[in-house]
Amino acid sequence: MTEKQIQKVRDTIKKHKAALSLEKRKFGGYDDSYGRRYVIAELYLKIADYKGAATYFRWFEKNFPDDIGYPLFYLAWAVTLFERGKLEEAKIKTIQTNFLNTYLFDVILSNETHPIDKSETIGFESLSYAIEIKQDCDKVVSKDYLNWLAEFIQTEFYLSTMNRFISLRKLLQDENDIVQRRKLIDEENKLEASIKSTIT
């Protein structure tokens, strides 16, 4: 990418940030139906500006604490943490990415994968979605991150966490009782909280 192309991306980032700031000033908060809060992160990674991306993700976490995000966004976050040398945090964000789509890493690593009979209630949780966004993911990941990822997904920490998550999703698939479903969802939340606690 030429300097001119990089500057064009930076100008686009500035425009999106300005639009978000204007929205906050006018309405006292963010609606962001355009999705600028997600686009900005991907633009930073497009030019491999991991320092800028890291600063942006900290801002995002403060201003959108309950935002569920989506797989590509979380992948960009994980890559940023990895490239900034925050390996423990990168592990957590990588697993959170896989919680959003359990097929994504096998797809981007070109590993064989098949649909799993489990609860997938949001459109971005499916295998077909992972395949659909592969090219976008390829633009976000670095070669070093992919090499690290291939090793990380073989670790006991990763495997035990994902096995537990998938087992809970399988139980949810067949559970119709509202109380029992709530308990399973609570178990998912506890699982995510437990992995976050490993770096605090």
Side-chain angles (χ1 to χ4, degrees):
M1 187 175 286
T2 66
E3 282 298 321
K4 186 175 181 180
Q5 290 171 322
I6 291 173
Q7 187 56 51
K8 186 176 180 180
V9 172
R10 292 194 183 282
D11 289 343
T12 303
I13 289 172
K14 287 179 182 178
K15 287 178 182 178
H16 285 309
K17 284 185 173 181
L20 286 174
S21 295
L22 178 61
E23 191 174 89
K24 180 71 178 288
R25 288 196 302 273
K26 287 180 68 175
F27 306 112
Y30 302 101
D31 171 56
D32 191 29
S33 56
Y34 184 87
R36 296 179 193 278
R37 65 192 185 280
Y38 301 132
V39 173
I40 291 169
E42 293 170 35
L43 288 171
Y44 272 118
L45 267 72
K46 186 176 182 179
I47 57 175
D49 181 358
Y50 300 115
K51 183 178 181 180
T55 300
Y56 177 74
F57 280 121
R58 286 193 295 271
W59 176 89
F60 177 90
E61 199 164 32
K62 180 180 178 181
N63 288 277
F64 299 94
D66 300 320
D67 196 307
I68 189 174
Y70 64 103
L72 180 59
F73 182 76
Y74 267 71
L75 178 62
W77 203 335
V79 172
T80 296
L81 289 167
F82 171 81
E83 293 292 341
R84 295 290 290 166
K86 307 287 187 179
L87 296 186
E88 293 305 309
E89 293 177 51
K91 291 176 185 177
I92 305 309
K93 202 58 68 177
T94 294
I95 289 178
Q96 289 178 313
T97 301
N98 214 207
F99 281 174
L100 295 175
N101 187 297
T102 57
Y103 310 101
L104 188 61
F105 295 146
D106 282 327
V107 168
I108 64 177
L109 290 170
S110 299
N111 295 335
E112 185 177 357
T113 187
H114 304 282
I116 302 170
D117 185 21
K118 61 181 175 61
S119 176
E120 296 175 357
T121 56
I122 303 174
F124 59 59
E125 295 177 317
S126 68
L127 173 57
S128 60
Y129 182 86
I131 294 170
E132 180 183 325
I133 67 169
K134 182 183 184 303
Q135 289 186 336
D136 292 324
C137 292
D138 291 342
K139 296 174 185 176
V140 164
V141 296
S142 63
K143 185 177 180 180
D144 286 341
Y145 177 79
L146 287 179
N147 290 336
W148 174 84
L149 177 65
E151 293 184 5
F152 177 59
I153 64 174
Q154 300 302 320
T155 63
E156 176 60 29
F157 174 58
Y158 175 88
L159 291 171
S160 61
T161 303
M162 290 313 303
N163 286 340
R164 178 59 178 155
F165 178 80
I166 289 172
S167 69
L168 289 170
R169 281 303 175 99
K170 286 181 176 180
L171 291 171
L172 268 171
Q173 175 81 337
D174 301 318
E175 184 57 70
N176 295 314
D177 182 81
I178 294 175
V179 174
Q180 291 303 315
R181 287 185 65 84
R182 183 69 257 171
K183 287 181 179 179
L184 291 170
I185 292 170
D186 286 344
E187 283 298 311
E188 274 191 24
N189 292 335
K190 288 178 183 177
L191 179 63
E192 184 165 5
S194 72
I195 66 167
K196 287 180 180 179
S197 70
T198 64
I199 60 166
T200 58

